[in-house]
Amino acid sequence: MSTRAYGVTAADQSFQGMDIERRAPGPRDVQIDIAHCGICHSDLHMARSEWPGTVYPCVPGHEIVGHVSAVGGEVTGFKVGDTVGVGCLVNSCGQCGSCAEGLEQYCERGWTGTYNSPCADAPGHTLGGYSQRIVVDEGFVLHIRHPQAQLAAVAPLLCAGITTYSPLRHWQAGPGKKVGIVGIGGLGHMGIKIAHAMGAHVVAFTTSESKLDEARALGADEVVNSRDSAQMQAHLGSFDFILNTVAAPHVLDAYTVLLKRDATLCLVGVPASPHPSPAVIPLIFGRKNIAGSLIGGLAETQEMLDFCAQHGIVAEIEQVRAQEIDAAYSRMLASDVKYRFVIDGASM
Ligand code: NAP
Ligand code: ZN
């Protein structure tokens, strides 16, 4: 079915309207009319070929919410009219050890991303949520239980929410734990809200003066201007866990020195070029860890959506029209977004 979308035809091109083809729903497929799609910094990295392997045309978008408009004959979990979401994954092998454990994001044969992954549909790679509709295997569709009025602000949970929830759960953020969140953008502001709801003592690190007060309102117990070394020194050796969402290369030693013995700095930001190599000394004196984490599996994404619905958590968003995506990217690069742009599907 011909579907309106917004994409780019090369790394240096602006977004333009284009017509793409969506497959007719197969027996296990759910067809979704997209109501809103968040703009993740990964979309920008990919559209502009900042990471290896972008294929064009590129239609990004993996923070998708909408309503089911058709289902295949074998679909059991969804019906027409249901409010649903799709995140970063639309398929995986389903057989490997990671898939068997519900960790589809670590599929050992390679998962299928919502955009830019090889697939059988035209044009041979997946096209994402900057579009009017999408057709997805029901195993990769999530139920949304927030009130309809919050739907636009739920969209960012599908990537920013799960990418912060999963490591916070894995490293056991909760009561009695001091947790740092570095970079208060789309991911970071969700990290603050979720870590706060988990009961941790949350310290936000920002480079933006204008976010110092706001981070408290988001749920941070303390806020540190990461450019102020005295403020940084005050937290030496005190963190159980630090989640770093920054999208640009920077010196990680500033954070490893803030960890307690055996604690972990988890990187989720994926800059276009590497961070400077971390110093070893702060790591060995304290057996500290630098780790990474990738989004989350389907079961955990549903758990996160339900946790957020229960705790009344949604993203802070600014809605944009599809025609404003380039301007939104420029502002995201300038850390000038509070805290996530979401495309209004009606503008497609
Ligand atoms: P974003 O909204 O642009 O937020 C990034 C934040 O990092 C900015 O708001 C800013 O926060 C801080 N920052 C930016 N440049 C900086 C610099 N030069 N030095 C220090 N801090 C800087 O981006 P996002 O959508 O949250 O995504 C963040 C990163 O995570 C991206 O690289 C994205 O590709 C990646 N990502 C990874 C996964 C995963 O599964 N691992 C999933 C989604 C996204 P302050 O203003 O507070 O300093
Ligand atoms: Zn994302």
Side-chain angles (χ1 to χ4, degrees), residues 24-281:
R28 289 176 37 80
D29 281 337
V30 174
Q31 177 182 291
I32 300 159
D33 289 353
I34 298 175
H36 310 277
C37 182
I39 294 181
C40 177
H41 207 116
S42 301
D43 301 349
L44 183 158
H45 291 307
M46 191 66 86
R48 298 191 173 166
S49 274
E50 291 183 358
W51 296 338
T54 307
V55 280
Y56 295 94
C58 173
V59 175
H62 57 208
E63 292 185 339
I64 298 168
V65 293
H67 300 98
V68 175
S69 52
V71 292
E74 293 170 17
V75 169
T76 55
F78 299 90
K79 58 182 190 316
V80 171
D82 283 357
T83 306
V84 295
V86 176
C88 303
L89 307 176
V90 292
N91 221 331
S92 71
C93 84
Q95 325 246 300
C96 71
S98 295
C99 285
E101 284 184 65
L103 298 170
E104 297 88 353
Q105 76 276 33
Y106 303 119
C107 175
E108 289 146 36
R109 295 180 193 148
W111 42 272
T112 305
T114 305
Y115 59 82
N116 205 63
S117 281
C119 73
D121 301 344
H125 60 272
T126 50
L127 302 169
Y130 295 5
S131 59
Q132 273 182 318
R133 71 176 72 77
I134 192 166
V135 177
V136 179
D137 182 289
E138 75 163 323
F140 292 80
V141 181
L142 290 310
H143 288 283
I144 290 181
R145 304 190 168 101
H146 287 75
Q148 285 295 319
Q150 294 184 325
L151 193 55
V154 170
L157 303 184
L158 276 305
C159 174
I162 185 59
T163 302
T164 50
Y165 182 93
S166 183
L168 287 166
R169 269 274 178 267
H170 183 78
W171 278 280
Q172 298 169 345
K177 297 284 178 70
K178 183 172 172 183
V179 169
I181 306 285
V182 186
I184 312 309
L187 266 56
H189 95 289
M190 289 311 311
I192 294 176
K193 289 187 180 212
I194 291 170
H196 174 74
M198 289 174 173
H201 180 87
V202 182
V203 181
F205 293 90
T206 183
T207 61
S208 301
E209 289 282 339
S210 73
K211 297 177 185 171
L212 292 171
D213 290 334
E214 289 178 16
R216 268 204 185 72
L218 294 170
D221 298 285
E222 299 177 67
V223 187
V224 172
N225 177 343
S226 55
R227 295 203 161 116
D228 180 331
S229 57
Q231 287 188 37
M232 295 291 280
Q233 291 281 320
H235 291 274
L236 281 176
S238 65
F239 280 90
D240 296 287
F241 180 62
I242 300 178
L243 185 64
N244 186 332
T245 76
V246 172
H250 60 282
V251 177
L252 300 179
D253 308 344
Y255 297 101
T256 55
V257 298
L258 304 188
L259 296 170
K260 283 181 183 167
R261 174 176 53 78
D262 287 319
T264 296
L265 168 66
C266 175
L267 306 178
V268 289
V270 191
S273 52
H275 297 297
S277 183
V280 172
I281 286 177

